[in-house]
């Protein structure tokens, strides 16, 4: 592949926007990177997935390095859900070779739509933050966590509900990584926010913390089989890291309902794009 | 947040930052007219891939040290799952 300054510039600018969206939404941006590299750069899909997964590790590491220190990412919940996420990621790598990906893609797309709709409805409701309600009515003796939220200028307390359901569903987050080259945040964030009642900001920060691990499980294999295009990965990641740091400033100050709204629209677009992709 | 926990989170944060930093530095060096430029880029990629695994090891040791044995065991199990996955794939 002939690599010009123009290509480098496109990769850095595109990476910047992916990093921006990824850090705010808690996703790796694989849903954007893979089609972009295939369509614009004419890169084979397996190489695009390898580049996407490496970029997910970079996003996850750079964004999580700040969020972990600030106490925004819930490390304990992250580790607990990573148990099944890692199993899902490893399992999916084997399944990818044997199962018809179109069937899985349809199932995944139809699973995303109701999630997106319910999250959209939730973001439009002028209700009290989940975190407050949980802190005031924590009668199930579960662990209480907290983080400082500059958008409301106070420390917010919350507890994690339905840990078992989140634990099981994280498996599917890992599956997304191995099957489609996604980080898994597109499953992980709604699971943590809607099922486990984790505030949106903490859910996105924790998801960012988690997705790098599932990506690293798959990318090492693709890298050892020479699927990774180093130049493309390097310049894309430079943009992703820059975008990630800008996005984090927004995440820390943004309202939970704003993030929910953006995320629900993003989910709908991804879902529709995947359905169209299968029937095209 | 306890002082020990803050230290642990700082260590995790530092390990994540270092992985990305090494990747960028080694990647940039690889574009200089050097003899082993491709090896240097590969080394940078290798460090980046290992970053999430390194933070799991740090969390496993750190959580054990501060007495949170349950989550330390969880971190260890995550590490075992990932390594087993590598071994099965390469086997």
């Amino acid at each position: 592949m002939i690599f010009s300054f123009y290509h480098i510039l496109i990769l850095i600018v595109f990476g910047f926007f992916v990093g921006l969206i990824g850090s705010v939404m808690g996703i790796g941006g694989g849903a954007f990177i893979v089609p972009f590299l295939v369509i614009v750069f004419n890169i084979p899909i397996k190489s695009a997935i390898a580049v996407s997964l490496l970029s997910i590790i970079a996003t996850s590491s750079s964004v999580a390095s700040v969020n972990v220190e600030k106490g925004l990412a819930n490390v304990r919940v992250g580790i607990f859900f990573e148990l099944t996420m890692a199993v899902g990621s490893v399992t999916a790598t084997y399944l990818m070779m044997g199962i018809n990906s179109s069937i899985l893609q349809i199932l995944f797309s139809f699973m995303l739509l109701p999630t997106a709709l319910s999250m959209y409805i939730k973001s439009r409701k002028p209700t009290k933050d989940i975190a407050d309600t949980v802190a005031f009515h924590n009668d199930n003796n579960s662990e209480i966590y907290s983080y400082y939220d500059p958008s409301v200028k106070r420390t917010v307390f919350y507890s994690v509900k339905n840990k078992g359901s989140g634990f099981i569903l994280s498996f599917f987050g890992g599956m997304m990584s191995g099957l489609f080259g996604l980080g898994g945040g597109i499953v992980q964030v709604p699971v943590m926010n809607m099922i486990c009642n984790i505030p949106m900001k903490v859910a996105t920060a924790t998801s960012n913390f988690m997705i790098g691990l599932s990506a690293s499980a798959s990318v090492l294999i693709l890298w050892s089989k020479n699927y990774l295009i180093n130049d493309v990965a390097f310049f894309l990641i430079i943009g992703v890291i820059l975008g990630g740091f800008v996005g984090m400033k927004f995440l820390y100050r943004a309202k939970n309902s704003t993030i929910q709204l953006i995320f629900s629209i993003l989910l709908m677009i991804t879902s529709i794009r995947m359905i169209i992709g299968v029937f095209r | 947040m306890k002082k020990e926990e803050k230290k642990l989170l700082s260590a995790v944060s530092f390990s994540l930052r270092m992985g990305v930093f090494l990747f960028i530095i080694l990647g940039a060096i690889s574009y200089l007219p050097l003899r082993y430029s491709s090896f240097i880029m590969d080394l940078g990629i290798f460090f980046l891939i290992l970053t999430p695994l390194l933070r799991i090891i740090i969390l496993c040791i750190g959580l054990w040290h501060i007495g949170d044995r349950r989550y330390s065991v969880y971190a260890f199990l995550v590490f075992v799952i990932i390594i087993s996955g590598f071994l099965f794939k390469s086997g």
Side-chain angles (χ1 to χ4, degrees), chain A residues 87-107:
Chain A
V87 173
S89 179
V90 171
T91 310
T93 314
Y94 292 109
L95 282 175
M96 188 172 58
M97 298 170 220
I99 289 181
N100 186 341
S101 59
S102 297
I103 295 166
L104 283 165
Q105 204 165 315
I106 293 167
L107 288 171

Side-chain angles (χ1 to χ4, degrees), chain B:
Chain B
M1 203 186 291
K2 286 176 192 170
K3 201 178 174 185
E4 283 174 325
E5 179 134 356
K6 266 192 174 177
K7 266 188 186 175
L8 171 62
L9 295 181
S10 294
V12 171
S13 186
F14 178 75
S15 72
L16 293 170
R17 241 172 246 159
M18 279 311 289
V20 178
F21 179 74
L22 283 171
F23 170 73
I24 294 170
I25 294 296
L26 293 171
I29 291 171
S30 76
Y31 285 97
L32 297 173
L34 297 170
R35 200 175 167 185
Y36 303 106
S37 57
S38 134
F39 170 75
I40 293 169
M41 175 62 97
D42 284 344
L43 198 65
I45 291 170
F46 183 68
F47 280 129
L48 186 62
I49 294 171
L50 285 191
T51 304
L53 290 173
L54 180 67
R55 65 115 167 123
I56 274 289
I57 296 168
I58 293 172
L59 276 169
C60 178
I61 298 166
L63 287 168
W64 186 272
H65 185 70
I66 63 172
D68 201 340
R69 304 283 153 94
R70 184 158 58 117
Y71 286 98
S72 172
V73 171
Y74 290 161
F76 177 72
L77 288 173
V78 171
F79 181 75
V80 169
I81 292 163
I82 299 289
I83 295 300
S84 310
F86 287 149
L87 295 176
F88 277 123
K89 281 171 198 168
S90 55

Side-chain angles (χ1 to χ4, degrees), chain A residues 61-107:
Chain A
S61 302
S62 56
V63 174
S65 71
V66 178
N67 287 336
V68 165
E69 212 163 30
K70 277 180 180 170
L72 199 57
N74 192 322
V75 172
R76 285 177 175 81
V77 171
I79 293 171
F80 183 58
F81 289 167
E82 266 174 356
L83 278 167
T84 44
M85 200 183 187
V87 173
S89 179
V90 171
T91 310
T93 314
Y94 292 109
L95 282 175
M96 188 172 58
M97 298 170 220
I99 289 181
N100 186 341
S101 59
S102 297
I103 295 166
L104 283 165
Q105 204 165 315
I106 293 167
L107 288 171

